[in-house]
Amino acid sequence: MNLREYQLRATTTDQNPRASWSADEASKEPQKHNVIPLMGLIGEVGGLLSEYKKMLRDGAIHEQFPQQVAEELGDILWYVATVATKFGLDLDKIAEQNILKTENRWHEPGEKRKLYDDGLPDNQQLPRQFSYKFSHREIDGTERLIIIDNASNEDHGDPLRDNAYDDDGYRFHDVLHFAFAVHLGWSPVWRKLLRNGKKLSKRTPFAVDDAEDGGRSQVIEEAIIAAAYVYADKHNFMAGAGAIDWQLLRHIKQMTANLEVGDRTTWEWNRALLDGFNVWRMLRDHNGGTVSGDLLTNVLLFTPTDIH
């Protein structure tokens, strides 16, 4: 039996059917035929937990545990199908969309992704390998973070501070731009800094440069990092974490849906953020150091300044 057939047959046993679904109805006071299956769903989940409680209490003598779980899951499925019907949804499509979302979240892509600027002239491509030194320098009486391109020994971007009352390490956030480049092949902010330093030319044609590397894309990338930083600050900056919260990943996917990086999976974003914050923590703990990366092998490394 497939889910669509199950949903249709479940409908015939609904004792509180409704004529048809409409958005106007949903905006009014709760309707009996909608509320009953929603409450029933909650009750059946409670029944499932109750069976597990009995198993914990009684152990091996609760011999009917598997059968009882199967029955409770069946009742839950009936209420799920009925709720879907109440709101004009197709259970088959719900299941398909859910498994695609879950695979996108937890499966590593099956093949190596091409970089977005593959095939363009070398002067339009992000550097495939890079190395930058993060150190501090006193400027106008205040200590600021300086990022130095080790290949040219030139400053990369402007001197940075945390721009906060307390030292929270935000000045090291450029490492997240590097993490995006390494794991996603994407960073319009890094592209801008490279163009400003005469190390990269604008992408052609103009429409690509304007849409993918323009100010709007740069703002989106900085907004992603700001949101991720707020999240990380409340989760020990991801130390020991194996996954980023789904709500943040979904927010990022929504923000980037119309950009080239919109084809990257939530698994790839998860990896980029975890690796980026891992290196960020080392930069913060050492108050600087060297960050190197390879876009071809998806490797981001940290080396303390006192290691030669």
Side-chain angles (χ1 to χ4, degrees), residues 44 135-136 165 173 233 296:
E44 295 301 336
S135 62
H136 292 83
Y165 291 110
H173 82 273
D233 187 31
L296 300 179

Side-chain angles (χ1 to χ4, degrees), residues 234-266:
K234 298 181 183 300
H235 294 82
N236 197 26
F237 287 102
M238 308 315 299
I244 302 291
D245 184 77
W246 166 247
Q247 298 300 323
L248 175 59
L249 294 173
R250 181 172 64 178
H251 180 57
I252 291 171
K253 288 291 291 180
Q254 291 170 341
M255 293 178 70
T256 59
N258 296 321
L259 298 173
E260 59 189 1
V261 75
D263 68 352
R264 297 308 194 198
T265 66
T266 47

Side-chain angles (χ1 to χ4, degrees), residues 144-162:
R144 297 178 183 269
L145 178 71
I146 304 298
I147 303 176
I148 301 170
D149 184 345
N150 285 327
S152 63
N153 203 34
E154 297 174 349
D155 288 359
H156 175 76
D158 297 325
L160 300 172
R161 290 177 55 80
D162 286 336

Side-chain angles (χ1 to χ4, degrees), residues 26-242:
S27 64
K28 298 177 182 178
E29 293 183 1
Q31 303 293 308
K32 175 182 176 182
H33 51 255
N34 292 335
V35 173
I36 287 177
L38 287 169
M39 295 178 68
L41 181 58
I42 295 172
E44 295 301 336
V45 170
L48 179 61
L49 289 172
S50 178
E51 288 302 324
Y52 190 69
K53 181 262 295 182
K54 293 176 185 176
M55 191 274 292
L56 291 175
R57 181 192 65 196
D58 301 335
I61 66 172
H62 188 25
E63 296 178 353
Q64 298 300 309
F65 177 70
Q67 293 87 344
Q68 293 298 114
V69 168
E71 182 176 346
E72 295 291 347
L73 288 175
D75 291 340
I76 289 170
L77 181 58
W78 187 92
Y79 279 110
V80 168
T82 303
V83 170
T85 299
K86 298 294 186 184
F87 298 114
L89 301 172
D90 185 316
L91 196 58
D92 249 4
K93 291 182 179 178
I94 291 172
E96 180 181 9
Q97 292 168 356
N98 177 263
I99 198 64
L100 289 174
K101 180 188 80 171
T102 306
E103 289 174 344
N104 185 278
R105 174 72 177 87
W106 298 111
H107 285 183
E108 182 177 359
E111 58 184 28
K112 181 71 175 177
R113 301 296 195 104
K114 290 184 62 176
L115 296 174
Y116 298 114
D117 54 14
D118 274 351
L120 293 177
D122 290 348
N123 66 349
Q124 296 181 31
Q125 294 184 357
L126 286 173
R128 283 2 187 192
Q129 290 83 32
F130 61 84
S131 177
Y132 291 99
K133 181 180 179 181
F134 289 65
S135 62
H136 292 83
R137 183 187 305 162
E138 186 172 311
I139 299 176
D140 297 330
T142 61
E143 188 177 74
R144 297 178 183 269
L145 178 71
I146 304 298
I147 303 176
I148 301 170
D149 184 345
N150 285 327
S152 63
N153 203 34
E154 297 174 349
D155 288 359
H156 175 76
D158 297 325
L160 300 172
R161 290 177 55 80
D162 286 336
N163 302 129
Y165 291 110
D166 300 316
D167 181 348
D168 64 357
Y170 191 75
R171 62 191 178 279
F172 297 113
H173 82 273
D174 270 27
V175 72
L176 295 174
H177 296 302
F178 297 143
F180 292 169
V182 163
H183 292 295
L184 307 170
W186 177 81
S187 178
V189 170
W190 188 30
R191 281 188 177 277
K192 178 195 73 171
L193 294 174
L194 289 169
R195 289 198 305 271
N196 291 347
K198 310 299 182 185
K199 295 180 174 64
L200 193 69
S201 298
K202 292 184 177 182
R203 275 196 281 181
T204 54
F206 170 78
V208 173
D209 173 74
D210 187 48
E212 300 294 349
D213 301 335
R216 186 173 181 178
S217 297
Q218 295 166 28
V219 168
I220 289 174
E221 184 181 6
E222 292 288 13
I224 289 171
I225 289 177
Y229 198 87
V230 170
Y231 171 83
D233 187 31
K234 298 181 183 300
H235 294 82
N236 197 26
F237 287 102
M238 308 315 299

